[in-house]
Structure formats: C-alpha cells, structure tokens
Amino acid sequence: MKSFLLKSVLVLVLISFTSCSSDDDTTDNSAEVNQVVGEWQMYRTENLEAVIDQWTGTEWTYVDQWFKNVWEDSEILITFNNDGTFTEFYATVETANGTWEKLEDGRYSYNYILEVDNTNEVLVGTRLITVHCDNTFSVITEGDDRNVAYYRTRNTTECSDLITYNLE
C-alpha cells in the first residue's frame, strides 16, 4: 500500500511539472503584441520652416521657426494590419499602402509601395514611428527632423502629457 501511494504521489508530481512546463512554453511562444496594429488618425503636424528674419541691407536673413497644425476630426487615417502591411486613407478613399516592421530598438518603421510610373517624392523614404503610449505615436521620415506627424487611435484623446512637442 505504501508503495502504491508513493508511486501515485510521484506520478502526480511529474504530471504537475509537465503541465507547468507546457504552460510556460505556450507563454514563451505567444504572438508578440505590436502596438501599431489598428486604425490611427492624424491629429497634429509640426514643421520647422526657414522664415525671413531681417534685411541686412544687401540680403534677407532667415531663421528656423516651428509651426503646428492641429485637427480635432482629421480625415487622414492609417491602418496597420497584423500581416505587416498598412493602408493610408483620406476619409474612405485609399491613398497609399506599404509594409511595416518592428525595429530592434523598439520603434517601428514603414515604407510605401511605389509604382514605377508614380514616383511621388512625398512617399519616398522610411518612416520611423515612436510610440508614446498605448494610443499615441509620432512619425518622422528617416533623415528629416524638420517634419513630425502625430497620430492617435480613433475616437480617443492623445497622451500629450507624455510627449515633448516642438511647439506647445
């Protein structure tokens, strides 16, 4: 009887260890949560522009100045899909599409798919996304720190207190 109880306890312990390791493996292999998947609405842009400063008597001098545009109900939308693709819209009209990926530094990047006969320079270049919170991110074009676009998930309020804007 002692032998039977000992073997039963041993079998139960082995089953519980097997169950735990199986659960742990499932957690380790679960799909990564990508913070950009979903529908996003542009709510703000900031642009650094060279503006006329003063006349020197022979020429105008220029200084850089930040400008901002803010929209409450923007129709500029972007949808990131789980399969690594995205689509941009103006209202319900598709305006562009491409692919995105998560970078090693935790940011995301995306690139437009350009047709050979359509080489719109505005769509050239890798866009870099910095996530500020669960519903807000900013976008710059790689190598261009003079233009920033801000997006939030639709029908939410952005987390402005976590963002350092160039212009308040």
Side-chain angles (χ1 to χ4, degrees):
M1 181 72 170
K2 257 185 175 179
S3 174
F4 176 75
L5 281 173
L6 184 58
K7 287 179 184 177
S8 297
V9 168
L10 192 57
V11 168
L12 286 174
V13 168
L14 287 174
I15 290 173
S16 68
F17 281 130
T18 303
S19 297
C20 289
S21 69
S22 175
D23 289 346
D24 291 345
D25 290 343
T26 303
T27 303
D28 291 341
N29 294 329
S30 65
E32 179 181 350
V33 175
N34 288 302
Q35 294 173 294
V36 297
V37 171
E39 186 176 48
W40 300 85
Q41 173 185 41
M42 182 187 291
Y43 70 91
R44 178 185 179 124
T45 59
E46 295 179 329
N47 306 328
L48 186 60
E49 301 288 336
V51 296
I52 295 175
D53 183 35
Q54 62 185 353
W55 178 253
T56 66
T58 58
E59 66 182 1
W60 288 101
T61 60
Y62 295 85
V63 295
D64 284 340
Q65 183 176 344
W66 282 100
F67 293 91
K68 70 176 178 178
N69 291 304
V70 178
W71 302 278
E72 288 302 316
D73 295 318
S74 171
E75 295 288 340
I76 301 169
L77 308 169
I78 187 168
T79 300
F80 290 95
N81 304 305
N82 279 320
D83 65 359
T85 63
F86 74 90
T87 306
E88 279 192 1
F89 298 90
Y90 182 78
T92 59
V93 177
E94 182 177 328
T95 58
N97 61 58
T99 59
W100 67 270
E101 67 180 339
K102 186 169 186 175
L103 302 174
E104 288 181 17
D105 64 6
R107 294 182 301 167
Y108 295 84
S109 71
Y110 66 96
N111 288 286
Y112 293 96
I113 296 174
L114 301 174
E115 296 177 17
V116 175
D117 59 341
N118 179 10
T119 56
N120 185 343
E121 289 186 26
V122 173
L123 302 179
V124 174
T126 299
R127 301 320 197 255
L128 300 173
I129 298 173
T130 301
V131 177
H132 298 285
C133 62
D134 64 348
N135 76 330
T136 308
F137 66 74
S138 59
V139 178
I140 62 166
T141 301
E142 193 170 43
D144 177 9
D145 59 352
R146 298 179 70 88
N147 298 290
V148 184
Y150 297 90
Y151 289 81
R152 63 180 174 217
T153 53
R154 285 193 88 176
N155 302 316
T156 65
T157 301
E158 63 278 358
C159 59
S160 293
D161 55 329
L162 300 176
I163 302 170
T164 304
Y165 293 114
N166 294 299
L167 186 65
E168 287 304 316

